[in-house]
Amino acid sequence: MIRLDIRERVVKLLCDYISIPSVSGEEEELSERYASDLERAGLEVEIDRLGNVIGRRGEPEVCLTSHLDTVPPDEMEKPFEPRIVDGKLYGRGACDAKANLAVYATLAEIWDGPLEIIAVVREETDSAGIRHVLRRGEIQANHVINGEPTELRPVIGHKSRVEVRLCIEGEPKHAGSHNPENPILKFCKILHDLHETLEDLEDALGIPTANPTSVHSRGVATNVTPQCLEAVLDVRLNTQLSPEDLERFFHEVEGVSAEIRAGAPPFVLSGDEPVVRALREALSARGLPDEPITWPASTDAGYIRNLGGKDVVVFGPGSIDYAHSPSEHVPIEELVDAVRVLYDVVECLSS
């Protein structure tokens, strides 16, 4: 291993990356900076037409991939001015997911063997970046680690997120009368029936969930039943429920139109794949928790597994609890541990 102050280097890089705003669709400046850092570390680098950064050295067995983009800063105070407080580095993208970019660039400087690093755009919106990379067959390595804030736990499966937009038509009537066409009552019955359906579809990822996140009804007065209800459901699919299954469910409900927007598909590994074993061994050797878990959030790993056919583990410093929040941060110790753990994984799988 090349002698390098890992802590100083990874913190410096992450501070630099946080200071470059890269909200989804606006990643160009960070793409160019990241490409420059990977080139300096000895990788051959390309920025494709979407802005994805593809870096490669030799014939790699391991691909490290994460995303360049962040959610908007919203109410975060000084989101692009990184600051360290009590051993934690704060800023938009600190854990989701620029921490991984800094870890990978640092690793590329201390590991001189074969390696693949891919940083993609638009993960926070439509995952166009990773889908473009996969269509072009850019992931050459057999083993993939997808960087997200997992608190350094190996994630071997997660559900898929689907957004369902419902429009339920009703018949306005006096609120004191019997009105089975009240769209609010229809919506309650739909939720009840959907939840009953989901209860029978448990797998290794758990039971699919469906939660309303927005509900609005339109009517002429508060003593008249509404003529229309619009709602948004956040549905998390496991391997037993597909977007097509949801379409069939809502198609069979009279008076309801449903628009379904599917995200990354779900995935789950057995836990015995070489990349899982290598990551567990590296974590255990450093006294860190190594038991594989599944995750509530959806990531590009679903595409990497289902479209790319690769064994992929989601792994990285920081906690999902602080991603997208005004207090987004990453513990510096986890940054350092991530570099060392991934060094061991890459060395193991490349030998």
Side-chain angles (χ1 to χ4, degrees), residues 1-46:
M1 181 185 293
I2 296 173
R3 294 187 61 83
L4 178 75
D5 189 325
I6 293 175
R7 180 187 303 271
E8 180 181 337
R9 184 57 176 161
V10 74
V11 168
K12 171 65 166 57
L13 286 173
L14 181 51
C15 286
D16 289 351
Y17 299 160
I18 290 171
S19 69
I20 302 173
S22 60
V23 174
S24 289
E26 303 172 6
E27 303 98 335
E28 183 177 359
E29 183 180 353
L30 183 57
S31 291
E32 293 177 353
R33 166 60 195 271
Y34 199 59
S36 175
D37 287 343
L38 295 187
E39 286 178 342
R40 189 177 299 110
L43 277 67
E44 295 183 4
V45 182
E46 171 199 357

Side-chain angles (χ1 to χ4, degrees), residues 241-271:
L241 183 69
S242 70
E244 292 74 23
D245 294 329
L246 280 180
E247 287 179 357
R248 284 190 289 270
F249 174 88
F250 289 110
H251 180 72
E252 294 173 359
V253 182
E254 189 176 349
V256 175
S257 64
E259 178 186 350
I260 295 178
R261 302 175 182 176
F267 87 100
V268 60
L269 301 182
S270 70

Side-chain angles (χ1 to χ4, degrees), residues 6-7 282 286 335-345:
I6 293 175
R7 180 187 303 271
R286 297 189 177 279
L335 288 174
V336 177
D337 284 339
V339 175
R340 291 171 173 159
V341 165
L342 289 179
Y343 184 98
D344 292 347
V345 171

Side-chain angles (χ1 to χ4, degrees), residues 36-320:
S36 175
D37 287 343
L38 295 187
E39 286 178 342
R40 189 177 299 110
L43 277 67
E44 295 183 4
V45 182
E46 171 199 357
I47 300 179
D48 69 20
R49 66 177 182 82
L50 289 190
N52 299 311
V53 179
I54 296 104
R56 194 173 294 116
R57 180 167 55 211
E59 298 181 2
E61 284 294 324
V62 180
C63 174
L64 305 175
T65 181
S66 192
H67 57 95
L68 296 152
D69 63 320
T70 71
V71 297
D74 292 331
E75 299 179 358
M76 190 173 198
E77 183 180 355
K78 298 180 179 179
F80 308 120
E81 297 181 19
R83 59 199 182 281
I84 297 174
V85 180
D86 296 330
K88 301 171 184 176
L89 179 50
Y90 287 78
R92 177 55 80 226
C95 69
D96 190 17
K98 294 180 178 182
N100 296 287
L101 302 180
V103 166
Y104 300 167
T106 303
L107 174 59
E109 294 182 13
I110 61 176
W111 164 259
D112 59 4
L115 183 63
E116 189 169 65
I117 297 176
I118 298 179
V120 299
V121 299
R122 291 164 52 179
E123 188 272 349
E124 297 289 3
T125 52
D126 57 6
S127 288
I130 193 63
R131 290 189 286 114
H132 183 69
V133 163
L134 292 168
R135 281 195 299 268
R136 294 180 62 196
E138 289 290 358
I139 298 182
Q140 296 183 3
N142 294 315
H143 315 289
V144 184
I145 293 177
N146 185 45
E148 294 285 354
T150 71
E151 299 178 87
L152 301 184
R153 297 295 300 275
V155 172
I156 62 170
H158 64 58
K159 295 177 182 175
S160 170
R161 179 180 183 269
V162 170
E163 183 176 284
V164 180
R165 292 184 174 269
L166 298 177
C167 182
I168 305 174
E169 300 294 336
E171 183 180 345
K173 282 189 177 182
H174 190 289
S177 64
H178 175 65
N179 183 10
E181 296 304 310
N182 183 339
I184 296 177
L185 296 180
K186 284 186 177 181
F187 179 61
C188 292
K189 185 176 188 309
I190 289 169
L191 277 183
H192 177 269
D193 292 347
L194 180 58
H195 285 158
E196 281 200 336
T197 300
L198 301 184
E199 286 292 328
D200 296 327
L201 299 175
E202 186 172 9
D203 69 359
L205 297 174
I207 297 171
T209 60
N211 284 305
T213 55
S214 176
V215 181
H216 300 279
S217 62
R218 296 200 305 269
V220 297
T222 55
N223 60 352
V224 179
T225 59
Q227 62 190 21
C228 177
L229 179 143
E230 295 177 347
V232 178
L233 299 180
D234 181 297
V235 183
R236 302 289 166 148
L237 310 181
N238 62 11
T239 61
Q240 300 301 304
L241 183 69
S242 70
E244 292 74 23
D245 294 329
L246 280 180
E247 287 179 357
R248 284 190 289 270
F249 174 88
F250 289 110
H251 180 72
E252 294 173 359
V253 182
E254 189 176 349
V256 175
S257 64
E259 178 186 350
I260 295 178
R261 302 175 182 176
F267 87 100
V268 60
L269 301 182
S270 70
D272 194 43
E273 293 78 5
V275 66
V276 181
R277 294 199 304 268
L279 184 55
R280 293 192 66 182
E281 290 171 5
L283 288 165
S284 178
R286 297 189 177 279
L288 298 169
D290 72 312
E291 189 67 25
I293 61 173
T294 58
W295 220 33
S298 179
T299 75
D300 279 347
Y303 289 115
I304 294 168
R305 179 62 175 170
N306 288 275
L307 298 185
K310 304 289 185 177
D311 290 342
V312 55
V313 180
V314 185
F315 172 83
S319 169
I320 191 67

